[in-house]
Amino acid sequence: MFKLKHLALDTLREHVIVVHEQAVRSGNLGFNPLDRVRVFALENFSSAPREVTGVLNFCRDTLVASDEIGVSEEAFHDLGLAEGSAVGAELATAPRSVDLVRAKLNGKRLDKAAFASILADVARRRYSRVELSMFVLGCALRRLELPELVDFTHAMIEVGEQLNFGPGPVADKHSIGGIPGNRTTMIIVPILAALGLTVPKTSSRAITSPAGTADTMGVLADVGLSPQRLYDVVRKVGACIAWGGALQLAPADDILITVERPMEIDTEAQMVASILAKNKTAGATHVALDLPVGRSAKVRSIAAAERLGATFRSVADQIGLRVDVVITEARGPIGRGVGPRLEALDVLAVLRREPDAPIDLREKSLYLASRIIEMMGAAPVGAGYRAAQQQLDSGAAQRKFEEIIAAQGAREFPAPAPFVTAFPSPADGRIKEFDCLEIARVAKRAGAPANITAGLRLLKTVGEIVEQGEPLFEIHAESRSQLEAAKSYAVSHSELVVFGF
Amino acid sequence: MFKLKHLALDTLREHVIVVHEQAVRSGNLGFNPLDRVRVFALENFSSAPREVTGVLNFCRDTLVASDEIGVSEEAFHDLGLAEGSAVGAELATAPRSVDLVRAKLNGKRLDKAAFASILADVARRRYSRVELSMFVLGCALRRLELPELVDFTHAMIEVGEQLNFGPGPVADKHSIGGIPGNRTTMIIVPILAALGLTVPKTSSRAITSPAGTADTMGVLADVGLSPQRLYDVVRKVGACIAWGGALQLAPADDILITVERPMEIDTEAQMVASILAKNKTAGATHVALDLPVGRSAKVRSIAAAERLGATFRSVADQIGLRVDVVITEARGPIGRGVGPRLEALDVLAVLRREPDAPIDLREKSLYLASRIIEMMGAAPVGAGYRAAQQQLDSGAAQRKFEEIIAAQGAREFPAPAPFVTAFPSPADGRIKEFDCLEIARVAKRAGAPANITAGLRLLKTVGEIVEQGEPLFEIHAESRSQLEAAKSYAVSHSELVVFGF
């Protein structure tokens, strides 16, 4: 028997249990570090069994006493017991569903029930990071065929909550990501909402990028809305641009992403299931899907984009979602800013019709909006672009965006980052491309997205002719060491800019 | 700047760094939980840069103060600074070699330099558990062809220390594992040493099993020998049976195993590289390799064992090791005991020629010993068995075993486990097989190997005819709850015994 101790340790979706080494030895508990251990209430005050499973660490000092057991932040919350409660601890076995993951690794096909049991255990945080890695790599390396991917997506949807904004059609827009500064969502949503469409947009924070839509919107407004507040905002102004992370939509996906992120490998099936499940559970009926193609984008060729688009459409059909796949070209970041604050400036410039607003961001947003408008019948085919343009140029979209911000809760716009330096062009010539991945890495080294004012701002863009030594972009950082780290990375990775025709 | 704090937290080969959330926020450090963070000395007292990289956890209470940074046990040791030293912390990027792991996942062939750089980073604990999983699964799922496997094995050998007992030939013996109670090493080593051969045996502790040779030998003698003590013991008595874990032989392998273990999947290439690298770095020149084949063994068919044996031989040839692959049949545990103490009793019974000593353990040990004796030319071909038998039956092997124990440091033999229960046969009939995996799981639930007296003892063995309800085996445990857990597992997994002919 132990006394429960709350360790305010944030371990990002992996529960950690800490026991004193002495307790393990004298109690003959048979525990080893990294074992999976179940902690459970010894007093039976409610009908529901209170227990939590986590990964064991040994302690040799005073972090926990030998009659205590420490559990990390989220585990303590899940357990729902008071500090000092009497708890027991025992070795727990891996969830049964891990056997299904092994079957997948051995090349077997999984069915919907198998995915459902895996994802339910994942969502309850019963998987260790190694087991999560097994599942992600199993799906990545043992390609999922279409029916299997449909089953996976269905299971992803059914584990967790679903929002409902019906009975009418509900618009959504999604990009597969990989293009820095690609903040079209924040322009498309107010355009569509100004036209009277329902657009309850939920976005993620950055996963591998220097900013996600939720990070950039978070510069301007509160994005951490509860389901109730989200419904209120959408009822009031017809739209929102919120962070999806607090809503328990496809929660297994959020956990899988914690291991996919450091992997940085192509997990196409997961991407399809993840995006469609998020859209479906967020209550969408019609979705425009932005598939950027480019040498440094996630998809490298039009042929690959068409294959991926066909997969998206087939799975979407099976789960009752209308999807318009829009293949776009990417030869570098969209807009000028990379990083939350700098991207927000681009969005505001487009919505405010400022003369130096980035044209590429404006045009891409109008084009994607036009596809949704036509798909949803809000304008005749061929007239969608004009309808979108009217909402933007009349200022209606800007006003709608201000309504959304006010409804979510406005934030004060931050001052620029204190440390700024220019990156000189390594050569003379015409800029043919920026490498999206390398640009993202520079911005991340500068501190984005955690430091919201950090990132970079392009001074020259694709197609422009520059001289060696002329500044190509500014790096913004909140500390001198981050500025130096970003700049030295950029200098040693001059392939981040490609010259030519 | 932070003050270094030592957290006596054993995280099993993953370095953990703990920073107070407040410090991250006020210092604009741009850290997120699970980020990889580099901690480095700010005072330059020696030429070597003192730094360590680990996985970040946030703290919200008093585990570390906001001007402190906590590092876990092994990280603190690797850093080698005093508590309170001034250290800096910054985001670290993944080691460059992780790009090579991604290449492997994408189906590329790696060369020796690539494996060397991956394994050097693994050995320095620069890989997170997710990255370790990527490497293990990359090698498992993207099969390594023979030249690649040779490169992998070479790299495994060269990262770490090598023992040298030459110039004469040095014997070794290895089993691929999976068979409970298979403690032939502890009988073969004294037989060979009694014949005058040099047998510096280093073994592992249990990885997925209820006891490894090092666990069982650890019941009788000290097995945690430093390299110097190991050399001394071998010089004195010609042999040792030590734990290899403290010797830094193929250290990358020890770290890879921490993620392979919970995976419980077939990682054949890793197994070949791991075993041959361990044998080579332990100084062996001639190795007998036990490949048990059976329905519940690691290898399920003779054909598969022959393929695996051929792979072992081919790689061994390339790294300059003579290997004799011995395919053996496994229809259940070897001997009667499963678990450190109970297995040690079997070994002692065979060496002491007790009348009820388990015949299967005796015969398998003599057979494997004979193959090594003949391979090394210590007896003519066909005369090895007889030579081994003489050493055993004359008591020479027993005396040699006692010398080894005395040289390593004898331990007092433990009293039996306090809690014992019998498992009744679920049916009438002739025992055809025991399921090795299920038997191991029962013993592990009983507490083995951490509880050295826990495990099980077969009362009936393969070939015997039993009646329903008749005791098949005893379960031994050090606590009542473990006894109950093991018994209830056994009762609900009656497939652990197979009846028939």
Side-chain angles (χ1 to χ4, degrees):
Chain A
M1 186 195 122
F2 292 97
K3 284 187 292 186
L4 182 65
K5 181 167 181 185
H6 174 204
L7 297 180
L9 207 58
D10 185 345
T11 52
L12 201 64
R13 302 183 190 281
E14 184 177 62
H15 290 164
V16 171
I17 312 286
V18 181
V19 180
H20 201 284
E21 195 183 33
Q22 197 48 48
V24 174
R25 204 168 282 159
S26 63
N28 266 327
L29 291 175
F31 292 171
N32 286 309
L34 283 201
D35 275 348
R36 186 192 310 269
V37 167
R38 194 172 75 89
V39 174
F40 51 95
L42 288 175
E43 287 146 33
N44 205 354
F45 20 40
S46 76
S47 50
R50 291 184 178 265
E51 58 169 73
V52 76
T53 299
V55 170
L56 190 71
N57 282 196
F58 277 13
C59 155
R60 297 202 181 99
D61 62 1
T62 57
L63 174 57
V64 298
S66 60
D67 64 341
E68 288 178 331
I69 195 155
V71 300
S72 57
E73 190 77 36
E74 290 183 331
F76 184 78
H77 176 260
D78 287 3
L79 189 54
L81 295 174
E83 248 196 302
S85 297
V87 292
E90 62 180 23
L91 277 180
T93 48
R96 287 245 156 186
S97 67
V98 174
D99 288 339
L100 300 168
V101 175
R102 283 190 199 101
K104 181 77 238 164
L105 286 168
N106 289 326
K108 300 251 164 57
R109 187 201 178 293
L110 299 183
D111 60 15
K112 193 177 148 189
F115 282 115
S117 84
I118 291 168
L119 295 177
D121 284 331
V122 168
R124 284 187 214 120
R125 296 187 192 131
R126 289 186 177 160
Y127 273 43
S128 70
R129 262 181 278 158
V130 169
E131 288 153 354
L132 291 173
S133 303
M134 287 166 71
F135 179 64
V136 168
L137 289 173
C139 292
L141 271 62
R142 303 291 194 198
R143 306 267 160 209
L144 305 184
E145 297 304 316
L146 192 63
E148 198 175 7
L149 182 53
V150 170
D151 284 346
F152 180 30
T153 310
H154 266 303
M156 196 86 117
I157 291 166
E158 284 163 21
V159 174
E161 304 297 322
Q162 293 198 39
L163 303 179
N164 184 356
F165 298 93
V170 175
D172 206 342
K173 175 261 148 194
H174 213 101
S175 168
I176 64 163
I179 311 301
N182 192 17
R183 289 288 84 79
T184 56
T185 295
M186 289 167 70
I187 298 163
I188 296 168
V189 169
I191 289 175
L192 299 178
L195 267 170
L197 299 172
T198 303
V199 207
K201 181 67 196 144
T202 55
S203 298
S204 64
R205 293 194 186 278
I207 298 168
T208 56
S209 73
T213 293
D215 298 301
T216 301
M217 185 67 183
V219 173
L220 303 167
D222 187 9
V223 293
L225 308 183
S226 66
Q228 195 48 58
R229 273 197 64 207
L230 190 120
Y231 279 120
D232 288 345
V233 169
V234 175
R235 190 174 330 110
K236 195 168 164 195
V237 299
C240 68
I241 304 172
W243 175 51
L247 303 171
Q248 290 292 306
L249 307 176
D253 184 48
D254 296 340
I255 292 170
L256 293 174
I257 279 174
T258 63
V259 302
E260 285 173 39
R261 179 175 55 125
M263 286 186 180
E264 286 186 30
I265 60 158
D266 177 24
T267 52
E268 192 172 295
Q270 250 107 337
M271 179 170 71
V272 171
S274 163
I275 289 176
L276 294 178
K278 284 286 191 226
N279 289 327
K280 181 77 178 175
T281 54
T285 59
H286 294 72
V287 182
L289 201 67
D290 174 19
L291 248 62
V293 176
R295 203 183 48 83
S296 63
K298 284 191 183 168
V299 181
R300 306 292 164 98
S301 72
I302 297 287
E306 280 171 352
R307 275 197 303 276
L308 180 59
T311 306
F312 267 114
R313 268 189 297 263
S314 305
V315 176
D317 270 356
Q318 300 280 318
I319 63 164
L321 204 56
R322 274 201 64 186
V323 163
D324 188 7
V325 175
V326 187
I327 295 175
T328 55
E329 193 193 20
R331 292 195 291 164
I334 300 290
R336 279 190 214 101
V338 176
R341 176 183 176 275
L342 294 165
E343 292 177 18
L345 283 176
D346 282 349
V347 168
L348 292 174
V350 170
L351 286 168
R352 292 173 178 161
R353 290 95 64 211
E354 290 173 4
D356 61 347
I359 292 169
D360 57 349
L361 180 62
R362 174 188 155 95
E363 288 306 316
K364 184 168 176 180
S365 302
L366 286 173
Y367 180 59
L368 284 165
S370 77
R371 299 276 293 248
I372 303 174
I373 290 167
E374 293 179 9
M375 173 169 51
M376 296 182 80
V381 173
Y385 184 89
R386 180 105 192 84
Q389 199 185 18
Q390 271 170 357
Q391 299 306 317
L392 186 59
D393 289 345
S394 69
Q398 183 193 347
R399 285 189 300 276
K400 180 56 77 177
F401 190 60
E402 284 159 5
E403 282 175 30
I404 295 168
I405 287 176
Q408 293 188 192
R411 286 189 175 166
E412 197 181 334
F413 197 76
F419 299 95
V420 177
T421 189
F423 174 81
S425 176
D428 292 335
R430 179 182 171 277
I431 301 173
K432 188 183 174 193
E433 275 181 28
F434 284 104
D435 187 296
C436 291
L437 203 62
E438 296 299 350
I439 290 288
R441 286 180 176 163
V442 173
K444 286 197 284 182
R445 274 173 176 70
N451 298 165
I452 61 172
T453 70
L456 53 81
R457 194 168 79 91
L458 298 184
L459 302 171
K460 300 290 176 186
T461 187
V462 170
E464 286 191 74
I465 290 165
V466 295
E467 285 176 22
Q468 186 175 358
E470 199 178 353
L472 281 187
F473 53 80
E474 289 170 356
I475 302 173
H476 291 227
E478 298 184 2
S479 76
R480 189 168 298 282
S481 67
Q482 287 168 308
L483 192 77
E484 293 307 322
K487 181 153 183 183
S488 80
Y489 183 87
V491 168
S492 62
H493 291 79
S494 62
E495 69 275 20
L496 60 79
V497 55
V498 181
F499 295 93
F501 281 88
Chain B
M1 186 196 125
F2 291 96
K3 284 187 293 187
L4 181 66
K5 181 170 180 182
H6 174 204
L7 297 179
L9 207 59
D10 185 346
T11 52
L12 201 63
R13 301 182 191 282
E14 184 178 62
H15 290 165
V16 172
I17 311 287
V18 182
V19 179
H20 201 284
E21 196 182 33
Q22 197 50 48
V24 174
R25 205 167 283 159
S26 62
N28 267 325
L29 291 175
F31 292 172
N32 286 309
L34 285 199
D35 275 346
R36 184 193 310 269
V37 168
R38 193 171 76 89
V39 174
F40 50 94
L42 288 174
E43 287 147 36
N44 207 355
F45 17 42
S46 77
S47 50
R50 293 186 177 261
E51 58 169 74
V52 76
T53 298
V55 170
L56 189 71
N57 281 196
F58 277 13
C59 156
R60 299 204 180 94
D61 62 1
T62 57
L63 173 57
V64 298
S66 60
D67 64 341
E68 288 179 331
I69 196 156
V71 300
S72 57
E73 191 77 36
E74 290 184 330
F76 184 79
H77 176 260
D78 287 2
L79 190 54
L81 296 174
E83 245 193 309
S85 297
V87 291
E90 62 179 22
L91 276 181
T93 47
R96 286 244 158 188
S97 66
V98 174
D99 288 339
L100 300 168
V101 174
R102 283 190 200 102
K104 181 77 240 166
L105 286 168
N106 289 327
K108 301 249 162 58
R109 188 203 178 290
L110 299 183
D111 60 15
K112 192 176 150 191
F115 282 115
S117 84
I118 292 168
L119 294 176
D121 283 331
V122 167
R124 283 187 214 123
R125 298 189 192 130
R126 289 186 178 161
Y127 272 43
S128 70
R129 262 182 276 156
V130 169
E131 288 153 355
L132 291 173
S133 302
M134 288 166 68
F135 179 64
V136 168
L137 288 173
C139 293
L141 271 62
R142 303 289 193 198
R143 306 264 161 214
L144 304 185
E145 297 304 318
L146 191 63
E148 199 174 6
L149 182 53
V150 171
D151 285 345
F152 181 31
T153 310
H154 266 302
M156 196 87 115
I157 292 166
E158 284 163 23
V159 174
E161 304 299 322
Q162 292 197 42
L163 303 180
N164 184 356
F165 299 93
V170 175
D172 206 343
K173 176 259 147 196
H174 211 101
S175 167
I176 65 163
I179 310 302
N182 192 19
R183 288 288 82 80
T184 56
T185 295
M186 289 168 68
I187 298 163
I188 296 169
V189 168
I191 289 175
L192 299 179
L195 267 169
L197 298 173
T198 302
V199 208
K201 179 68 196 146
T202 56
S203 297
S204 64
R205 294 195 184 278
I207 296 169
T208 57
S209 74
T213 293
D215 298 300
T216 300
M217 186 67 184
V219 172
L220 304 167
D222 187 9
V223 293
L225 307 185
S226 65
Q228 195 47 57
R229 272 199 63 209
L230 190 122
Y231 279 119
D232 287 347
V233 169
V234 175
R235 191 172 331 108
K236 193 167 166 195
V237 298
C240 68
I241 304 173
W243 175 52
L247 303 171
Q248 291 293 307
L249 307 177
D253 184 48
D254 296 340
I255 292 171
L256 293 173
I257 279 174
T258 64
V259 303
E260 283 172 40
R261 176 176 55 126
M263 286 187 180
E264 286 186 29
I265 61 160
D266 176 25
T267 50
E268 193 172 293
Q270 251 107 338
M271 179 171 71
V272 171
S274 164
I275 289 176
L276 294 180
K278 283 285 192 229
N279 289 328
K280 181 76 179 176
T281 54
T285 57
H286 293 71
V287 183
L289 201 66
D290 174 20
L291 247 59
V293 176
R295 203 185 48 82
S296 63
K298 283 191 183 170
V299 180
R300 306 291 164 95
S301 70
I302 297 287
E306 280 172 352
R307 273 196 304 275
L308 180 59
T311 305
F312 267 114
R313 268 189 297 263
S314 305
V315 177
D317 271 355
Q318 299 282 318
I319 63 164
L321 204 57
R322 274 202 64 185
V323 163
D324 188 6
V325 175
V326 187
I327 296 174
T328 56
E329 195 194 19
R331 293 195 290 163
I334 301 290
R336 279 189 215 102
V338 176
R341 177 184 175 276
L342 295 164
E343 293 177 17
L345 283 175
D346 282 349
V347 167
L348 292 174
V350 169
L351 287 169
R352 291 171 181 163
R353 290 95 64 210
E354 290 173 5
D356 61 347
I359 292 169
D360 56 348
L361 180 62
R362 174 187 155 94
E363 287 306 315
K364 185 168 175 178
S365 302
L366 286 174
Y367 179 60
L368 285 165
S370 77
R371 298 277 292 250
I372 302 174
I373 290 167
E374 294 180 9
M375 174 171 47
M376 295 182 80
V381 173
Y385 184 91
R386 182 110 190 81
Q389 198 184 19
Q390 270 168 358
Q391 299 306 317
L392 186 58
D393 288 345
S394 68
Q398 183 192 348
R399 283 189 301 277
K400 180 54 78 177
F401 190 61
E402 284 160 5
E403 282 175 28
I404 295 170
I405 286 176
Q408 294 187 193
R411 287 190 175 167
E412 196 181 334
F413 197 75
F419 299 95
V420 177
T421 189
F423 175 82
S425 176
D428 291 338
R430 179 183 171 276
I431 300 172
K432 187 183 173 194
E433 274 182 27
F434 285 104
D435 187 295
C436 291
L437 202 60
E438 297 298 349
I439 290 287
R441 285 179 177 165
V442 173
K444 285 196 285 182
R445 273 173 178 69
N451 298 166
I452 62 173
T453 70
L456 51 82
R457 195 167 79 90
L458 298 184
L459 301 172
K460 301 288 175 185
T461 188
V462 171
E464 287 191 75
I465 290 165
V466 296
E467 287 176 21
Q468 187 176 357
E470 199 178 351
L472 281 187
F473 54 80
E474 290 170 355
I475 302 172
H476 291 225
E478 298 185 2
S479 77
R480 189 168 297 283
S481 68
Q482 287 168 309
L483 192 77
E484 292 306 323
K487 181 152 186 184
S488 80
Y489 183 88
V491 168
S492 62
H493 290 80
S494 62
E495 69 274 20
L496 59 78
V497 56
V498 180
F499 295 95
F501 281 88

